[in-house]
Amino acid sequence: MPAAIEAERAILGACMLTGQAPEIQADAFYHERHQLIAAAIQQMARKGIPIDLLTVWQALHTGDQLNAAGGAVYLAELLEVVPNADNLRIYEQIVQQKYHQRQIMAS
C-alpha cells in the first residue's frame, strides 16, 4: 500500500513544534497511531487548546488513547524526526498524495 510514514511522522512532530494542526484529514494518515494523534491534535485546535508535546500527551492520556498512539516515548520521538517544521504543508501534500493512491487502489 502506498504510504509515506516518515512524512506522517514529520507532520505530527511539526504540529507539536509549531502549535499548528494538520490541514489534512486524520484518515489520510496510513498508520493507525498517526491517525489517532492527528485526530487528537485537530480536536485540540478546534477547542482552542495549545498544541505541543505535553498537551498532546495529555489529550491522548485523558482520552485513554496514549498506548494505542505509541506512548509518551513515541510522541517525543516525533519531535526528533522533523527535518524542517516550516515544511509542514509540503509533508501534508506527500501524505495526501499517498492517501489518494490508496483510495484509487481500493476502488
Side-chain angles (χ1 to χ4, degrees):
M1 281 290 175
I5 302 302
E6 290 308 313
E8 292 183 12
R9 290 167 48 94
I11 290 168
L12 299 171
C15 287
M16 289 187 282
L17 289 171
T18 65
Q20 299 178 59
E23 291 183 355
I24 59 174
Q25 58 197 42
D27 63 355
F29 289 82
Y30 179 75
H31 203 300
E32 186 176 340
R33 72 172 52 170
H34 297 163
Q35 292 175 4
L36 291 173
I37 298 166
I41 292 172
Q42 289 169 333
Q43 183 176 20
M44 292 169 63
R46 283 191 297 276
K47 292 180 177 181
I49 299 170
I51 298 163
D52 63 22
L53 174 60
L54 183 58
T55 58
V56 173
W57 176 90
Q58 183 63 42
L60 290 165
H61 178 71
T62 301
D64 203 26
Q65 296 181 316
L66 184 59
N67 286 338
V73 172
Y74 187 72
L75 288 178
E77 288 173 358
L78 293 175
L79 300 178
E80 297 174 10
V81 299
V82 181
N84 184 341
D86 292 336
N87 291 335
L88 170 60
R89 302 304 171 212
I90 294 169
Y91 306 144
E92 288 180 335
Q93 290 172 6
I94 295 167
V95 170
Q96 189 70 37
Q97 180 184 35
K98 298 298 182 184
Y99 175 63
H100 287 307
Q101 290 173 355
R102 290 194 304 275
Q103 287 182 315
I104 291 168
M105 290 176 68
S107 60

